[in-house]
Amino acid sequence: MRCLAKGSGLEIKVMRIGFYQFTPIPKKVKLNLDRIKSALSHIQADLIVLPELCATGYLFTSRSELSKYAEPVPDGPSCMTFLDLCRTYNLNIVFGMAERNSNKIYNTAVLITAEGKVHCYRKAHLFLNEKDRFDPGNTRFQVFQINSTKVGMLICFDYFFPEVARSLALAGAQIICHPSNLVLDYAQKMTFTRAAENRMFWILANRTGREESGAKTIIFTGRSQIVGPDGRLLYRAGSDTEELPVIEIAPSDALDKKVTPRNDLFSDRRTDLYQS
Ligand code: ACM
């Protein structure tokens, strides 16, 4: 975090945020972790978001196959690798992984902070065949602190449920970290709306490439992006390129929920008319 002094003597904190868009090699965990480690070494950034299931790839033929690749948090190789990276480079990382917890397997996003804190979010809305592979998440939509900035996590298909982003916004999230393996072509467009309707920064870290398993082929759509609280595109990656952009933002911009001088996103809500 850097501080910029404004003319009035006020300080605004600047955060360097980004994502790593790449093509993981299916089921080659060590290769993928080594590749991420090498890409992120010496990076000058405060927060980097990686895709969903970034070390294993996405497609598994069965739950028992997935089970071979699921790791405990924080003692598995993925968390250990990122703990080391975060401490060494004073970095905060959000990444997606298959988490083993007793007899459960979760599709999990993990935030590892530069001080070595580990926070988890387990995907609540499982997509298509994930329903036969993973257990649905049981963690609430919570925010976590990176220095004085509050961040929230959701995973891929969770974007389809506006309640998720709204819950995180109401909990104070200024930045949403969104590890993804997106396949629906309009997904990126929807996250513009989620960012603007909650006035939050949104880091969508998608992957590229394709995976095949038997007769099934999935093509991942890339186009990872960072959107501002006003719905403006701050960075967009290509649909099939490896990219590691870092941009500067002022997280405090996401604290202002005013849409017009007379409209506040939160205080204008008509909860008396909404269905729960
Ligand atoms: C998805 O939720 N991985 C599409």
Side-chain angles (χ1 to χ4, degrees):
M1 283 269 225
R2 243 168 13 101
C3 282
L4 287 184
K6 276 178 132 182
S8 58
L10 225 66
E11 277 190 344
I12 51 167
K13 289 204 169 66
V14 172
M15 198 168 173
R16 298 160 300 176
I17 63 169
F19 57 76
Y20 181 36
Q21 170 175 295
F22 71 109
T23 305
I25 302 169
K27 296 161 203 148
K28 299 284 183 202
V29 172
K30 180 158 181 352
L31 259 178
N32 292 321
L33 290 177
D34 284 349
R35 178 178 182 177
I36 296 167
K37 217 162 54 174
S38 142
L40 268 54
S41 291
H42 304 290
I43 193 166
Q44 306 271 310
D46 298 301
L47 171 63
I48 296 291
V49 184
L50 297 163
E52 178 184 15
L53 299 169
C54 67
T56 58
Y58 184 74
L59 269 187
F60 293 91
T61 51
S62 63
R63 182 174 166 99
S64 69
E65 189 195 31
L66 168 65
S67 172
K68 292 185 206 146
Y69 296 90
E71 301 174 18
V73 174
D75 302 321
S78 296
C79 279
M80 287 297 169
T81 300
F82 292 121
L83 272 162
D84 185 42
L85 205 56
C86 288
R87 281 207 193 97
T88 308
Y89 297 108
N90 195 29
L91 183 62
N92 302 277
I93 290 180
V94 171
F95 70 99
M97 63 172 286
E99 179 198 354
R100 168 188 307 290
N101 188 287
S102 60
N103 62 343
K104 304 280 193 198
I105 307 175
Y106 299 106
N107 184 339
T108 296
V110 183
L111 163 63
I112 298 193
T113 69
E115 307 86 58
K117 288 197 184 123
V118 178
H119 303 290
C120 283
Y121 161 69
R122 294 172 175 157
K123 188 174 185 178
H125 303 96
L126 297 174
F127 184 70
L128 207 63
N129 294 345
E130 289 174 31
K131 292 191 174 203
D132 310 319
R133 311 284 187 266
F134 293 94
D135 294 285
N138 56 4
T139 43
R140 293 192 65 81
F141 297 102
Q142 297 175 70
V143 295
F144 304 101
Q145 298 265 150
I146 295 178
N147 301 316
S148 57
T149 301
K150 292 189 171 130
V151 303
M153 296 183 273
L154 51 86
I155 302 174
C156 206
F157 190 50
D158 283 325
Y159 71 88
F160 230 98
F161 299 84
E163 295 87 347
V164 175
R166 177 50 55 95
S167 301
L168 290 167
L170 290 171
Q174 293 158 267
I175 302 175
I176 294 294
C177 302
H178 186 195
S180 293
N181 280 189
L182 291 169
V183 292
L184 302 176
D185 204 42
Y186 49 86
Q188 285 83 349
K189 284 191 193 132
M190 286 178 68
T191 65
F192 276 99
T193 308
R194 295 288 101 82
E197 71 194 2
N198 292 292
R199 296 189 72 82
M200 304 185 284
F201 290 95
W202 196 288
I203 310 172
L204 163 60
N206 195 19
R207 58 161 288 180
T208 48
R210 62 169 61 206
E211 283 192 27
E212 284 165 29
S213 177
K216 196 170 179 65
T217 301
I218 298 193
I219 297 171
F220 302 97
T221 57
R223 290 184 279 130
S224 299
Q225 63 190 24
I226 304 176
V227 178
D230 54 0
R232 239 175 355 114
L233 182 64
L234 302 178
Y235 188 91
R236 155 130 345 135
S239 56
D240 205 16
T241 44
E242 178 174 338
E243 296 191 41
L244 177 54
V246 176
I247 65 164
E248 289 196 338
I249 61 156
S252 57
D253 288 351
L255 298 174
D256 177 8
K257 300 300 178 188
K258 284 251 180 311
V259 181
T260 75
R262 297 190 60 191
N263 293 102
D264 182 283
L265 262 187
F266 288 174
S267 56
D268 278 3
R269 293 170 74 226
R270 290 296 307 272
T271 50
D272 54 326
L273 302 179
Y274 304 152
Q275 281 190 2
S276 59

